[in-house]
Amino acid sequence: MRFRGNTQFASAVGLVLGLLCAVEAAKVNKHKPWIETTYHGIVTENDDKVLLDPPLIALDKDAPLRYAESFEVTLTKEGEICGFRIHGQNVPFEAVVLDKSTGEGVIRAKDKLDCELQKEHTFTIQAYDCGEGPDGANMKKSHKATVHIQVNDINEYSPVFKEKSYKATVIEGKKYDSILKVEAVDADCSFQFSQICNYEIVTPDVPFTIDKDGFIKNTEKLSYGKEHMYKLTVTAYDCGKNRASEDVLVKISVKPTCKPSWQGFNKRIEYEPGTGSLALFPSMHLETCDEPITSIRANIELETNHIGKGCDRDTYSEKSLHKLCGASSGTVELLPTPSSSANWTVGLPTDNGHDSDQVFEFNGTQAIKVPDGMVSTSLKEPFTISVWMRHGPGAHEKETILCNSDKTEMNRHHYSLYVHNCRLILLLRQDPSEAENYKPAEFHWKLDQACDKEWHHYVLNVELPTVSLFVDGTTFEPFLVTEDYPLHSSKIETQLTIGACWQDNSGHDNDTESVSEPTSGGNARMAQFFRGNLAGLMIRSGKLENKKVIDCLYTCKEGLDVQLPEEVASAVKVEFNPNQSSLTVEGDDIDAFDKVMQHISYLNSRQFPTPGIRHLRISTTVKCFNEESCVTVPDAEGYVMVLQPEEPKISLSGIDHFARSAAEFESQEGVTLFPELRIVSTITREVEADTESEATEGADDDPTVQETVVSEEIMHNLDTCEVTVVGDELDGEHEGLEVDMSQLQQHSLEMSSSNLGLVITGVNTMANYEQVLHLIRYKNWHTEALFDRKFKLVCSELNGRYISNDFKVEVNVIHTANPVEHANNAMVQPNFINPVHHASVDLSGHNLVNAHQASVVPSAATIVIVVCVSFLVFMIILGVFRIRAAHQSTMSDQENGKENEMDWDDSALTITVNPMETYEDQHSSEEEEEEEEESEDGEEEDDITSAESESSEDEEGAEPEDKQGASRQQQLEWDDSTLTY
C-alpha cells in the first residue's frame, strides 16, 4: 500500500512538471500571424466605414489553448495581434485592431471620400503580433494581403445642359422626325445617378415634343405666317430624379418654303466716284434648298449701253483721245464739238448734254459738208478711218456715213463708207494710173454689229490693195471684194460730206438717189442719207496698226473686276468679255462659288464718271445628280447707282486791266495778254464736324452755326482754252494773236486761229496750260486809231462738260506825244501812266477817245466843258486845303500860303473831253490827287502821325465826292502838245 501511494504521488508530480514545461515552451513566439490573401470592401462617399468580405481577422498559432479548463492559466502577450499595417501611396484608409486576443480588426476612411474623384482603391495590408516579453522582441508579421475597396456614389449632382442655348431652322409645311437634339450631363460617378433618364419641354402649348434621348420634333406642320420663331424651355432629370440645375432655351425658326435663289445682296448699290473698287455682293450666297449640286455656272452682266457710246469713257475729243492712246499726229476730226473754229456741226442734233460723249444724230434728212481743205489725204498713201456708229435694221437703201464725190457734173464717188443691208461697205475708186486695169474698188463686210442698235467702234486701215477692219478691237475679213477701173483724170473739185453723199441734180450715177423735198442748207443735192448715230469720225494719214492703240480707243473706263481668293482660285473658273461688262463663273463647290461671287466688284477709273444707273443681272444654270428634280435658279437683278461727282469749279484769275504804250503793241514781241494768269480748280463738299475740338472752336465764334461745307483744291486736266476778241473782229492786216509754237509742240497741244481769236486744244495739265497761256501775245501794227482792246478767255475740261468763268482782259493803248510837236523837247510822258514802271496801276478809267473825236481845234461845247471841269478841279483842290486848315489850326498860315500856289496857268492848256464815256475807276484819280498833295505838302512837319493823316484824308474826300459826284463821271484826256512847264 505504501509503494502504491508513492507511485501515485510521483505521477502527479510528473504531470505538473509536464504542464509547467508546456507553459514555458508556450512563451516562445514561434509563428507568424495569418490573414486572408484578398479582401473586398464597400464604402459610401461621405462615410468612413468599410464593409469587408471576408471580415478582417488575424490568427496566430502562438496563442494559448482556451479550451484547457482543468486548471487556471495566466495568458501572456505571445500570440496576440498588436496591429495592422497598410502599404501604398496616399491611401486614404487606416486599419484598426478591435481585439488583440482574437485578432479582429476593421478598415475605415481617414477623410470623406469622393466617388467622382476616385471610384476604387487598391492597397495591401499586413498583420503583426506583439512579439516576446515585455519589450515585444521577436515580433512576427503576416504575409501581405490585397484589399479592393469600391466607393459607392450618392446622388449629389443635378443634370447640366452642354449648351447655353440651342437654335434650329425648319421650313414651313413639313413634319420632321428630328429637328435638333439637346443634351445634358450629370457629374455623379455612378451609372444610376449620372444617367439622364428623362427630358421635358416646360413651355406649355407648343407644337413640339421631346423624347428621352433629347430629340425634339414638331407635332404638326408649321406655318411661317403663323409664327416666325418658337422659343422653348427644356429641362432634364437624372435617374435619381434630380432636375437640371438650370433649364435651357431652344429657338426654332420657321422659314418660308425654300426656293432656290441668290440671297443676301442689295438690289441698289451706290458707287461714290473716286473710291476705287466696290464689292457688289459682299454677303451673297446661293440657296439650293439642300439639293445635291454637281456644277454651277453664273453670268454677271453690267448693262452700260445707255451710257455714252456703250459705257463710260473719257469724253475728250476724238483727236485728243487718239493722242492719249499713243497715235501719232495727222488726224483730222470730222465731227468735232461745235466751236468758233469748227462750226460745220452746229446744226446737227446731239446728245444734248456734256456728261457723256458728243454724239450726233442723223434722222435721214440731215447731212453736213466738211469745209474744203480739212482733209488732204491722198488715196495713194495709207490712211485710216475710224468712227463710232449705232445703227439699227433699216430700209434696203444705201446709208452713207462718209462720202467724197464730185462737186459738179459727173457725180463720181471717189471714196465713201456706207451701210447697206447690214453690210459695211467701203468704196475706193483709185486715181488714174498708167495701167488701166481692174483694181479692188469695193470691200464688203457682213456684220451683225451694223444693225444691232448698239454702239460699236470701227477702224479701217486702208493700204491698197488691202483694207483691214477692226470692230470693237476684233479683226474682220471682207467676205467680198469687187474690182473696177480707176477713175478718169479730171479737174473737178470734190466735196466731202457726212451723213449723205453730195451729187448733182442730174443724177448721172445710178447708185445715188435724189431728194424729193429740198431742205435748208443745200441738202437738196444730198442723197443716200444715214439714219443712226455717229461720233468720233476721224481720217488719219498712215495706218493704225498698233493693236494697243485700237484697244485703248475702245476700252471702257468702267467694268467688272474680281480678285480671286487663293484658297478657291483652283476650284472656280472666271472669264471676262473684252470690255469687262460681263463675266462668267463656273465651279462645282458651292462654298467656293459663293466666295468668288462675294469678291466681284465694280470699278470706274474716271475722275469724273458719268452719273446714273448701271443695271446688273445674274443668270445662273445649275446641274444636279438627278436631272429630273434639279432646281432652277431665277435671274437676280439689281443696279449700280453711280453718284454725281463733285463738280469742279475752274477759276481763271489774274490782271484783267492794264495799259501799254503803242510802241509795245507794234514791237516784234507784242503785248502779253495773260502775264499773271492763274488756273485753279476747286470742289465743294459737305463734311460733318465729328470732333469735340471743332465744336469748341465753332462755339467761340457762333455756337449756333456749324461749318459743314468745305472747299478744296484739286488737280485735273484741261482739253480746251479759247481766247476770243470782245467787240470788233480781228483785222488780219494789221493785228493778230500769237503763241509760242515750240511750247505748244512740247506739250502736245494744237492751236487754231481765226478773226474771232484762237483755240488751244489737247489734253494736258492745268499747269502746262498756264505756261502756254502766259505766252499769248497781241500785236497791232497800226495803233494810231486804237485806244483799247478787250479779250475773253475760257477753258474747259472733258469736251465742255466743265467750263471755267469768263476771264476778260482789257488792254489800253497809251499814245505818247511826238517830241517834234512840243515847244519844249525835254517834255516826257507823266510817270503815273508809264506802263513800264507802273504796270499794276489800274487805268480802266483812262480809255482814249475815238479817232474822229481827237480834233485839235475844239468846238464851243468843248470849250465850255473844259472851263467847267477846270473850275470844278480848282474847287475840289481848294476844298481839300480848306478842310485841312480846319483840322490843323496850328498850320493854317502855312496852308493859306500854299493855296496861292495852286493857281493854274492854263493859257496854253487844251483839254479834250469825251462826254459819251464814264469815269469808271475812281481809285486812279484819288491816287493822282494824293500825289499832287504830297508834292505840295512836302514841307509839313513830321509830328503828324499816320493815323492822323488817314483820318484827315478821309474827311477831305468825303464832301467833294458828295457834291461833285456828277463831275467825276466825265472821262478826261490830256492833250499836252501845247503845255509848257
Side-chain angles (χ1 to χ4, degrees):
M1 287 295 294
R2 184 176 179 185
F3 174 78
R4 188 178 177 88
N6 291 335
T7 303
Q8 292 178 348
F9 177 76
S11 299
V13 171
L15 180 60
V16 170
L17 291 175
L19 289 173
L20 290 174
C21 291
V23 169
E24 188 66 25
K27 290 182 179 180
V28 179
N29 192 13
K30 294 182 180 180
H31 302 283
K32 297 179 180 179
W34 178 90
I35 57 177
E36 298 289 344
T37 57
T38 304
Y39 294 91
H40 294 275
I42 298 175
V43 62
T44 303
E45 59 180 351
N46 299 329
D47 193 5
D48 61 346
K49 295 180 181 179
V50 179
L51 298 178
L52 284 178
D53 182 27
L56 181 60
I57 297 176
L59 300 177
D60 195 330
K61 292 182 178 181
D62 294 322
L65 297 175
R66 293 189 176 245
Y67 53 83
E69 297 178 354
S70 56
F71 53 87
E72 183 178 349
V73 179
T74 302
L75 296 177
T76 62
K77 64 181 179 178
E78 290 80 6
E80 293 183 348
I81 303 302
C82 278
F84 297 93
R85 182 171 298 168
I86 293 176
H87 299 277
Q89 291 184 346
N90 301 323
V91 177
F93 295 97
E94 60 182 0
V96 179
V97 178
L98 296 179
D99 189 342
K100 291 182 179 182
S101 60
T102 61
E104 183 180 358
V106 294
I107 297 176
R108 61 190 180 189
K110 296 179 181 178
D111 298 309
K112 291 184 178 181
L113 301 176
D114 192 345
C115 175
E116 288 71 34
L117 294 179
Q118 189 170 350
K119 289 184 178 182
E120 293 183 352
H121 298 269
T122 300
F123 53 89
T124 58
I125 190 171
Q126 192 176 31
Y128 58 93
D129 58 19
C130 295
E132 301 176 357
D135 55 355
N138 196 20
M139 180 184 64
K140 301 292 185 180
K141 297 178 182 179
S142 71
H143 61 274
K144 293 180 180 180
T146 302
V147 181
H148 301 280
I149 297 178
Q150 178 180 340
V151 181
N152 282 349
D153 185 28
I154 61 175
N155 195 9
E156 57 184 329
Y157 293 101
S158 298
V160 177
F161 286 96
K162 287 186 175 182
E163 304 290 340
K164 292 183 179 180
S165 64
Y166 293 86
K167 296 180 181 179
T169 302
V170 296
I171 298 175
E172 65 174 349
K174 183 178 179 181
K175 287 190 69 174
Y176 290 83
D177 294 333
S178 174
I179 297 175
L180 78 159
K181 179 183 179 181
V182 298
E183 187 175 0
V185 294
D186 195 308
D188 288 312
C189 66
S190 65
F191 178 82
Q192 177 185 4
F193 299 139
S194 64
Q195 293 299 306
I196 306 300
C197 284
N198 189 29
Y199 291 94
E200 181 182 340
I201 297 176
V202 180
T203 305
D205 302 327
V206 290
F208 298 94
T209 184
I210 188 171
D211 61 16
K212 64 178 182 178
D213 296 322
F215 289 99
I216 298 176
K217 64 180 180 179
N218 55 321
T219 58
E220 63 185 42
K221 293 181 179 180
L222 305 178
S223 172
Y224 178 80
K226 182 179 179 180
E227 190 71 44
H228 291 0
M229 176 183 289
Y230 290 90
K231 296 182 179 180
L232 315 176
T233 301
V234 177
T235 191
Y237 295 90
D238 62 18
C239 294
K241 297 186 178 181
N242 270 3
R243 181 173 174 169
S245 57
E246 290 185 6
D247 298 340
V248 71
L249 177 64
V250 179
K251 296 179 181 179
I252 300 177
S253 300
V254 181
K255 288 177 59 178
T257 304
C258 181
K259 296 179 180 179
S261 62
W262 287 106
Q263 298 181 1
F265 78 101
N266 296 325
K267 291 189 175 181
R268 175 187 171 96
I269 306 162
E270 292 188 352
Y271 180 80
E272 184 176 351
T275 57
S277 182
L278 173 67
L280 296 176
F281 321 111
S283 304
M284 189 170 71
H285 67 279
L286 180 62
E287 175 60 63
T288 60
C289 299
D290 299 328
E291 185 73 25
I293 303 298
T294 59
S295 67
I296 312 170
R297 176 187 174 91
N299 182 64
I300 300 91
E301 183 178 0
L302 179 72
E303 298 179 2
T304 60
N305 295 335
H306 61 291
I307 302 296
K309 298 191 293 287
C311 65
D312 210 0
R313 296 181 175 90
D314 284 330
T315 55
Y316 295 118
S317 68
E318 197 68 21
K319 196 172 186 179
S320 298
L321 290 174
H322 273 69
K323 285 189 176 182
L324 289 175
C325 289
S328 59
S329 59
T331 54
V332 178
E333 192 169 7
L334 301 181
L335 285 176
T337 302
S339 65
S340 59
S341 59
N343 57 4
W344 63 87
T345 58
V346 171
L348 286 177
T350 65
D351 62 349
N352 199 24
H354 292 293
D355 285 346
S356 57
D357 299 323
Q358 191 76 50
V359 174
F360 296 93
E361 180 182 355
F362 295 83
N363 60 8
T365 62
Q366 301 117 330
I368 58 173
K369 293 190 293 184
V370 178
D372 294 339
M374 288 297 299
V375 178
S376 60
T377 302
S378 172
L379 296 182
K380 295 180 180 179
E381 307 250 341
F383 67 96
T384 300
I385 299 175
S386 64
V387 65
W388 285 92
M389 182 178 71
R390 178 169 60 186
H391 183 263
H396 296 291
E397 299 124 3
K398 295 180 180 179
E399 298 182 46
T400 300
I401 301 169
L402 176 68
C403 179
N404 188 34
S405 59
D406 290 338
K407 275 189 176 182
T408 58
E409 299 178 6
M410 301 184 70
N411 284 342
R412 296 179 305 174
H413 294 185
H414 293 252
Y415 62 87
S416 67
L417 180 66
Y418 60 93
V419 179
H420 187 208
N421 290 334
C422 295
R423 298 179 182 182
L424 184 68
I425 302 171
L426 176 66
L427 170 66
L428 282 172
R429 299 292 301 277
Q430 300 186 35
D431 292 337
S433 60
E434 295 180 358
E436 296 292 329
N437 298 328
Y438 277 102
K439 293 185 178 180
E442 278 190 340
F443 299 82
H444 297 247
W445 292 272
K446 190 171 182 179
L447 301 170
D448 294 335
Q449 294 89 333
C451 293
D452 64 359
K453 294 184 179 181
E454 302 290 344
W455 279 106
H456 298 285
H457 185 238
Y458 301 83
V459 175
L460 293 99
N461 276 328
V462 180
E463 188 177 18
L464 295 176
T466 62
V467 177
S468 56
L469 171 67
F470 295 87
V471 181
D472 297 336
T474 303
T475 305
F476 288 84
E477 295 295 332
F479 80 95
L480 176 63
V481 178
T482 61
E483 296 182 340
D484 200 349
Y485 281 110
L487 293 174
H488 298 291
S489 60
S490 173
K491 295 183 179 180
I492 300 175
E493 295 182 353
T494 59
Q495 176 64 60
L496 183 62
T497 55
I498 300 173
C501 206
W502 178 267
Q503 67 181 38
D504 187 72
N505 285 336
S506 59
H508 294 298
D509 194 337
N510 295 328
D511 292 336
T512 62
E513 312 142 9
S514 62
V515 179
S516 59
E517 296 183 2
T519 57
S520 61
N523 284 347
R525 303 187 63 173
M526 295 286 187
Q528 303 175 3
F529 284 96
F530 180 78
R531 295 172 180 84
N533 297 96
L534 297 176
L537 180 56
M538 305 281 295
I539 288 185
R540 175 180 176 273
S541 60
K543 292 178 63 177
L544 193 61
E545 294 179 338
N546 194 335
K547 185 67 165 52
K548 290 184 178 180
V549 176
I550 296 175
D551 290 341
C552 174
L553 293 172
Y554 167 71
T555 301
C556 297
K557 294 293 184 178
E558 66 176 341
L560 299 174
D561 191 19
V562 62
Q563 298 294 331
L564 290 179
E566 293 183 1
E567 62 271 18
V568 300
S570 59
V572 178
K573 180 182 178 182
V574 179
E575 293 181 350
F576 286 89
N577 69 336
N579 61 357
Q580 290 191 294
S581 62
S582 69
L583 62 87
T584 302
V585 184
E586 292 185 59
D588 53 9
D589 187 331
I590 295 181
D591 293 335
F593 202 92
D594 288 343
K595 286 185 178 180
V596 172
M597 296 293 291
Q598 293 167 7
H599 283 78
I600 295 175
S601 59
Y602 169 79
L603 176 63
N604 195 316
S605 60
R606 293 189 64 191
Q607 187 176 11
F608 305 108
T610 303
I613 291 175
R614 279 77 163 162
H615 288 281
L616 277 171
R617 180 186 297 272
I618 305 175
S619 304
T620 310
T621 303
V622 176
K623 292 184 178 180
C624 309
F625 288 103
N626 187 354
E627 294 294 336
E628 295 180 357
S629 62
C630 193
V631 298
T632 301
V633 180
D635 291 350
E637 295 184 356
Y639 63 92
V640 177
M641 171 59 76
V642 179
L643 302 178
Q644 180 74 37
E646 300 289 347
E647 296 195 1
K649 180 181 179 182
I650 306 173
S651 301
L652 309 180
S653 61
I655 300 175
D656 59 358
H657 195 178
F658 57 90
R660 294 290 184 269
S661 66
E664 292 190 47
F665 287 90
E666 297 175 355
S667 66
Q668 183 68 25
E669 291 78 12
V671 174
T672 302
L673 291 182
F674 313 107
E676 297 184 17
L677 176 69
R678 283 275 293 134
I679 305 177
V680 177
S681 183
T682 58
I683 59 173
T684 302
R685 65 177 67 204
E686 295 183 359
V687 297
E688 296 182 0
D690 54 355
T691 59
E692 297 181 358
S693 60
E694 292 179 357
T696 306
E697 292 174 1
D700 295 339
D701 300 332
D702 187 353
T704 62
V705 178
Q706 187 173 3
E707 293 288 338
T708 58
V709 178
V710 297
S711 179
E712 59 184 50
E713 184 175 345
I714 63 170
M715 300 301 295
H716 58 78
N717 292 329
L718 297 177
D719 61 358
T720 304
C721 279
E722 185 173 5
V723 181
T724 55
V725 62
V726 179
D728 296 337
E729 296 180 359
L730 295 173
D731 188 347
E733 294 183 358
H734 64 264
E735 64 178 339
L737 294 172
E738 294 183 359
V739 66
D740 191 338
M741 297 304 296
S742 62
Q743 286 292 328
L744 288 176
Q745 295 174 0
Q746 180 180 345
H747 298 303
S748 299
L749 300 176
E750 294 186 0
M751 185 268 292
S752 60
S753 60
S754 66
N755 56 355
L756 298 177
L758 61 83
V759 180
I760 300 175
T761 57
V763 180
N764 217 311
T765 63
M766 294 187 295
N768 287 339
Y769 261 95
E770 255 186 34
Q771 184 178 350
V772 171
L773 292 172
H774 286 168
L775 303 177
I776 293 180
R777 302 180 301 277
Y778 170 68
K779 287 184 178 183
N780 193 305
W781 300 275
H782 301 285
T783 58
E784 294 82 1
L786 179 67
F787 300 98
D788 60 45
R789 256 308 194 184
K790 296 179 180 178
F791 298 91
K792 181 178 71 174
L793 172 64
V794 178
C795 294
S796 65
E797 162 70 337
L798 293 174
N799 212 12
R801 180 176 176 184
Y802 302 116
I803 304 175
S804 72
N805 60 308
D806 293 350
F807 179 62
K808 296 181 179 179
V809 172
E810 181 177 347
V811 183
N812 297 116
V813 182
I814 302 175
H815 293 276
T816 57
N818 190 346
V820 178
E821 298 177 359
H822 292 287
N824 185 359
N825 291 333
M827 186 186 112
V828 294
Q829 188 178 7
N831 285 333
F832 69 89
I833 60 171
N834 189 331
V836 177
H837 301 289
H838 300 278
S840 62
V841 176
D842 192 353
L843 299 177
S844 61
H846 291 268
N847 289 344
L848 302 181
V849 298
N850 294 332
H852 68 274
Q853 295 175 329
S855 177
V856 177
V857 180
S859 64
T862 304
I863 295 174
V864 172
I865 294 174
V866 169
V867 173
C868 292
V869 173
S870 301
F871 178 75
L872 290 175
V873 172
F874 176 77
M875 292 302 296
I876 290 172
I877 298 174
L878 183 60
V880 168
F881 284 98
R882 284 185 175 178
I883 292 173
R884 274 187 178 275
H887 288 282
Q888 301 176 8
S889 58
T890 57
M891 302 181 64
S892 60
D893 294 339
Q894 182 178 355
E895 292 296 331
N896 292 332
K898 289 186 176 183
E899 287 178 11
N900 297 328
E901 299 175 7
M902 296 304 297
D903 294 336
W904 291 87
D905 182 6
D906 57 354
S907 60
L909 177 62
T910 300
I911 301 177
T912 303
V913 179
N914 181 5
M916 301 302 293
E917 297 182 3
T918 60
Y919 185 79
E920 296 176 351
D921 192 334
Q922 300 177 3
H923 179 66
S924 298
S925 62
E926 290 175 0
E927 289 182 349
E928 294 172 15
E929 290 178 14
E930 290 175 3
E931 289 180 5
E932 293 175 0
E933 292 169 5
E934 289 174 2
S935 64
E936 293 178 350
D937 297 339
E939 302 294 331
E940 290 182 351
E941 297 180 6
D942 295 336
D943 58 341
I944 301 177
T945 64
S946 61
E948 292 173 343
S949 300
E950 292 174 1
S951 62
S952 64
E953 289 171 5
D954 293 338
E955 293 172 358
E956 289 165 12
E959 185 176 54
E961 286 177 3
D962 294 337
K963 292 181 179 180
Q964 310 296 340
S967 65
R968 284 201 170 194
Q969 300 301 316
Q970 301 299 325
Q971 188 113 1
L972 304 182
E973 175 186 357
W974 293 88
D975 184 358
D976 52 5
S977 60
T978 58
L979 180 62
T980 58
Y981 288 82

